Amino acid sequence: MNTILSAAQSRPSISIAFLLSSALLLTSCQSGSSSVELTHELAPFPSLMIDNGDGFVVIAHRGASGYAPENTMPAMELAYEMNAEMIEVDVMLSSDGVPVLFHDAKVDELTDGSGNLKDFTLQELQALDAGSWFDEAYAGTPIPTLEELLIWAQGKMTLNIEIKTEAYREALSESVEPRVIALVEQYDMADQVLFSSFDYRILARLKELAPSIPAAVLYEPVQSARKGPVTVVNSLQADGFNCSVREYSEQWQQELTQSSIPVLIYTVNEREQMAELIQRGVQGIFSDYPDVLAEVAAEELPTP
Ligand code: G3P
Ligand code: MG
C-alpha cells in the first residue's frame, strides 16, 4: 500500500488549515504562476517496515549520523534501534564499479585515506577507516557496500537510496543505475526502497530502467531552470519531491499538496523547525537525530 501517499491524502485537518491560511498570501505572491497538473501516475512509495501509523516518516539521514559515523553499519543499527521508519544513504561507485555507501567525492574528511573515492577499488576502500574521524570508539569501521546494506535491511528497514552524481558514467553499462537496480531486484526489495538523486540524468535513467521503483527528485536549481516542483516532477516522471528546508516554500507546499506528490525535507535537526514542517503537512523529514524527530512527531501528530 502507498503509505506515504495515502498519508498525504489522509491528513485533511493539517492540509486544509494550511491551504486556507495561505490562500491570500499565495494569491498575492504567485506572480502569474498558474497551477500545474501532474501528468503521470505516481509509482507507489515503499511500504514501511517500521511504521507508527501517523502518516509521517521519520528518516535517519545517512543513518543515525548524529550518533555514529555517517553511512556506516553502526549508524544503520542505531537508526533501527531508534525506530527510524526509513534510512537515507548516499551511494557512489568504486573504481571497479561496486556501489558503496559514501557521501563526499573525496575520502579525506571521512576516512584516514586521501583522494577521490571513484579512484579507489573496492578492496582499497574497504581497507580505509571510516570511523575514527567521528570518534575513536568507531576506529576501524569500514565503508559498507550497498549490497551489505540491502542484506541487513531486507524485510527490516525501508531505504532511501540517494545516488550521487560522482557515480554517473556516460556509458550506461559502466554507470551506477543498472548496478543499483540489479542489486535491489536481486534481493527482491523493489517495494522497500525509494531512489533519489540531485542528478536529473540519473533520475531519468532510473525511471526508464525501472519505472515501478519509486524515485524522488532531489531539487537542484540549475537543472530545474526555475521551474516549479510539479513541472520538475512531471519532466522526470518522478514519484516524489525531496528538497532542502532552506529552499522549501509555502507556495511549493501548496502546489505539491494539490497534486498529492509526497514531500520529504532535509536536513532538519532543530526541534522547532521539525514541528513547523510537520504542521505544514510534509510527509517526512531527514534528520541526523531520528530519536529527536520521532519525539517531536509524537508531540505534533495524533497517534491513530
Ligand atoms: O537525500 C537528502 C539529503 O541527504 C541530500 O543532501 O548532501 O546530505 O546528501 P546530502
Ligand atoms: Mg544524502
Side-chain angles (χ1 to χ4, degrees), residues 62 110 149 201 285:
R62 312 180 191 174
L110 301 173
L149 175 72
R201 298 168 303 178
I285 293 175

Side-chain angles (χ1 to χ4, degrees), residues 251-297:
Q251 181 173 332
W252 283 9
Q253 169 85 42
Q254 198 235 18
E255 290 176 17
L256 290 158
T257 302
Q258 271 179 354
S259 297
S260 295
I261 297 171
V263 180
L264 308 177
I265 303 293
Y266 68 88
T267 301
V268 186
N269 292 331
E270 302 299 327
R271 282 177 180 267
E272 221 169 274
Q273 205 165 38
M274 291 170 179
E276 194 187 315
L277 286 164
I278 291 168
Q279 283 306 327
R280 276 211 219 167
V282 302
Q283 277 66 59
I285 293 175
F286 300 84
S287 180
D288 302 333
Y289 301 93
D291 53 342
V292 175
L293 178 57
E295 268 176 35
V296 175

Side-chain angles (χ1 to χ4, degrees), residues 61-62 88-90 103 160 162 164 196 198 218 242-243 264-267 286:
H61 181 240
R62 312 180 191 174
E88 185 259 6
V89 294
D90 304 295
H103 179 271
N160 173 203
E162 183 198 335
K164 290 296 184 193
S196 64
F198 285 113
L218 260 168
N242 298 0
C243 91
L264 308 177
I265 303 293
Y266 68 88
T267 301
F286 300 84

